[in-house]
């Protein structure tokens, strides 16, 4: 049984057309790009007329222990962001003018659409970051210990973890 060129084209088209109908390689690439999971725990710079993303949990290099604040009001969670994240945060602070008016800005910790905490930025931290003289150390402040522990667990174990699946905290 011999196949002619015409028969091969007809059979090839009949087989592949239903498989490819409505699909394009561009659509597949876009679908893959949009389905990449994004971090839901973020720290943002918040001002009267600005909200800018500073970093997310993928940018955190080290997470400390939850501690009571020195003043006895609230708790803190020390952490260190990666060098790459620190280098990106500095221009954000500079362009927003945080060093000149730190009292007009706050840092906010968000998990998904929910804001967990918002706290003041010390003038010394704002100055260090704006001068590019910052080692990446930051202390997230919380009113409630449970909120700090939730963020710590998310940073150490992942955002969707529960206390049973993460024994590191």
């Amino acid at each position: 049984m011999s196949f002619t060129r015409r028969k091969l084209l007809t059979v090839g088209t009949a087989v592949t057309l239903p498989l490819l109908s409505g699909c394009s390689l561009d659509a597949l690439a876009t679908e893959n790009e949009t389905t990449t999971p994004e971090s839901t725990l973020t720290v943002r710079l918040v001002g009267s007329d600005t909200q800018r993303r500073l970093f997310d949990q993928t940018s955190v290099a080290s997470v400390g222990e939850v501690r009571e604040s020195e003043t006895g009001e609230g708790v803190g969670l020390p952490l260190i962001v990666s060098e790459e994240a620190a280098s990106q945060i500095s221009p954000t602070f500079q362009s927003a003018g945080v060093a000149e008016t730190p009292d007009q800005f706050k840092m906010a910790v968000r998990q998904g659409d929910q804001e967990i905490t918002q706290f003041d930025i010390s003038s010394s931290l704002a100055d260090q970051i704006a001068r590019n003289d910052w080692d990446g150390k930051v202390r997230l402040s919380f009113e409630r210990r449970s909120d700090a522990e939730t963020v710590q667990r998310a940073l150490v174990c992942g955002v969707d973890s529960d206390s049973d699946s993460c024994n590191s905290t």
Side-chain angles (χ1 to χ4, degrees):
M1 174 182 208
S2 68
F3 288 99
T4 65
R5 186 175 183 173
R6 180 175 285 170
K7 281 185 181 180
L8 284 175
L9 286 174
T10 304
V11 170
T13 303
V15 170
T16 57
L17 188 59
L19 296 174
L20 295 176
S21 63
C23 296
S24 75
L25 294 178
D26 291 339
L28 293 174
T30 304
E31 181 181 320
N32 288 339
E33 290 169 9
T34 58
T35 57
T36 303
E38 290 192 21
S39 168
T40 59
L41 185 72
T42 59
V43 176
R44 302 185 65 78
L45 175 66
V46 179
S48 60
D49 60 348
T50 188
Q51 260 204 40
R52 301 180 189 186
R53 182 186 162 282
L54 294 175
F55 62 92
D56 64 21
Q57 83 257 16
T58 63
S59 302
V60 176
S62 173
V63 181
E65 294 297 319
V66 174
R67 296 189 178 124
E68 299 296 324
S69 75
E70 295 80 32
T71 63
E73 295 179 22
V75 295
L77 177 62
L79 55 89
I80 301 173
V81 298
S82 68
E83 286 183 36
E84 182 181 344
S87 68
Q88 294 172 357
I89 292 169
S90 188
T92 302
F93 268 53
Q94 291 170 353
S95 67
V98 177
E100 294 81 22
T101 56
D103 58 325
Q104 294 181 12
F105 294 91
K106 294 187 181 289
M107 290 176 81
V109 179
R110 298 183 61 90
Q111 188 164 0
D113 293 334
Q114 179 187 6
E115 185 170 284
I116 297 172
T117 188
Q118 195 176 95
F119 55 93
D120 294 330
I121 301 170
S122 71
S123 57
S124 62
L125 177 64
D127 189 47
Q128 287 175 356
I129 292 173
R131 283 193 333 247
N132 253 349
D133 186 29
W134 180 50
D135 58 6
K137 293 179 183 176
V138 66
R139 180 182 174 274
L140 305 180
S141 298
F142 302 85
E143 289 181 16
R144 296 187 311 238
R145 184 175 207 45
S146 62
D147 289 341
E149 290 170 344
T150 297
V151 169
Q152 179 190 39
R153 189 171 34 258
L155 290 171
V156 172
C157 306
V159 173
D160 296 325
S161 67
D162 58 25
S163 57
D164 294 335
S165 65
C166 180
N167 297 323
S168 300
T169 57

